[in-house]
Amino acid sequence: MEEPTREQVRLPISNTELERRWSETRREMASKGIDALIMQGNNEWLGGYVRYFTDQPAEHAYPITVIFPANDEMTVLASGPKTRTPLPPSPIDRGIKTRVTLPYFLSLNYTNTMDAEAVVATIKTTGDKKVGLVGRAFMSVVFYLYFK
């Protein structure tokens, strides 16, 4: 895994630290029988768990949702043009296996469940049974209610 540069990520977290976080989290998930964690954020200043796990902040109120599985790399969902297939990882996508973009915006009510629908579909595909929600205060209520 290549270390990002300061030009790619502001104040990058080292690979060693990210791997430590992921390892400790997976150890705790295993002790509780959790198959995957879901987290969401939309703010670069209070980056929350999206930044903690991916070293990439959500910016400008565009939500980013992360699926952190117990036994695989992460899936990240973000606002953008709908892709037919998941995007290939970029050099700063450490620990991210799949990146999906969908045309959803908090200000467009008819798109408010697109991210939750995609997360539910992904969870059904992977067969994860016990899923934890991390940092519910960072999630939109529409996302939470649909997912729940």
Side-chain angles (χ1 to χ4, degrees):
M1 188 165 44
E2 183 182 327
E3 293 269 356
T5 65
R6 283 191 168 298
E7 291 77 30
Q8 294 170 307
V9 177
R10 282 173 279 179
L11 303 171
I13 300 167
S14 72
N15 288 344
T16 303
E17 175 57 17
L18 283 174
E19 290 167 359
R20 184 197 68 76
R21 292 174 184 187
W22 301 334
S23 176
E24 290 295 320
T25 301
R26 288 191 171 107
R27 185 178 358 270
E28 190 65 22
M29 289 169 69
S31 76
K32 294 183 176 8
I34 296 173
D35 299 314
L37 298 174
I38 309 297
M39 62 206 78
Q40 187 179 69
N42 68 5
N43 186 309
E44 70 182 292
W45 296 282
L46 298 171
Y49 296 98
V50 170
R51 174 80 193 258
Y52 184 87
F53 280 89
T54 67
D55 196 20
Q56 298 177 31
E59 295 181 311
H60 310 298
Y62 292 106
I64 294 179
T65 306
V66 177
I67 303 171
F68 184 83
N71 300 312
D72 203 354
E73 291 186 310
M74 294 174 275
T75 297
V76 173
L77 295 98
S79 180
K82 186 173 184 175
T83 53
R84 292 178 190 262
T85 57
L87 300 171
S90 78
I92 63 169
D93 285 345
R94 296 171 293 155
I96 298 171
K97 180 179 181 179
T98 307
R99 181 176 285 281
V100 177
T101 59
L102 298 166
Y104 64 96
F105 305 91
L106 296 176
S107 60
L108 299 175
N109 291 340
Y110 62 91
T111 69
N112 285 173
T113 60
M114 282 183 160
D115 51 351
E117 292 169 27
V119 169
V120 168
T122 301
I123 296 295
K124 286 181 178 179
T125 301
T126 59
D128 294 327
K129 301 293 183 214
K130 191 172 183 182
V131 178
L133 297 175
V134 179
R136 290 181 295 173
F138 293 105
M139 295 178 179
S140 80
V141 69
V142 176
F143 176 90
Y144 175 78
L145 291 173
Y146 185 94
F147 184 79
K148 187 176 154 189

